Amino acid sequence: MKEKIRSFIERGGDFETTALELYAWQRAHNPEYDRFCGTVTVRHWSDIPAPPSTLFRDLSLTCFPAEEAKVVFRTSGTTSGRQGEVRLQDTEIYELSATLHAEA
């Protein structure tokens, strides 16, 4: 999936297809996200359920074992008093998208 995302960022493509493939992949590889999505029917990318930011305080929401994270972004926790986390195996896709956006 990472190669598909990289290709889409670098070369563009069919956003609808890419988004739906990523959604299916995330559901298949992340039981907590799959549970959050429940029985929702997704026919268009805009139907994909976005987890609320509060969920990042309560669940790992990774498609890999959380302890394998190489990078952890944490929220300040100023609103709730509890920090949320986003765990990444690496920052390659994050850096690629940020660089291309800055160049544009």
Side-chain angles (χ1 to χ4, degrees):
M1 189 81 247
K2 185 176 180 178
E3 289 306 316
K4 284 187 179 197
I5 299 300
R6 180 191 346 273
S7 176
F8 180 81
I9 292 170
E10 291 176 338
R11 295 183 261 300
D14 181 357
F15 178 79
E16 178 80 18
T17 299
T18 304
L20 293 175
E21 286 177 9
L22 177 58
Y23 168 69
W25 186 87
Q26 287 177 318
R27 287 201 69 170
H29 291 87
N30 188 323
E32 292 170 330
Y33 181 63
D34 184 54
R35 201 168 25 261
F36 166 75
C37 292
T39 60
V40 66
T41 300
V42 172
R43 288 183 169 67
H44 185 263
W45 71 265
S46 62
D47 298 330
I48 297 171
S53 59
T54 55
L55 210 55
F56 290 90
R57 288 192 300 256
D58 301 324
L59 302 174
S60 175
L61 291 182
T62 62
C63 293
F64 58 90
E67 63 274 5
E68 292 180 12
K70 301 280 190 291
V71 178
V72 179
F73 291 108
R74 291 187 174 88
T75 65
S76 65
T78 55
T79 303
S80 69
R82 290 179 36 223
Q83 286 187 312
E85 295 181 342
V86 175
R87 296 171 176 267
L88 304 175
Q89 284 182 308
D90 61 58
T91 58
E92 184 180 346
I93 297 296
Y94 177 85
E95 290 173 7
L96 174 63
S97 62
T99 300
L100 292 177
H101 178 73
E103 290 172 354

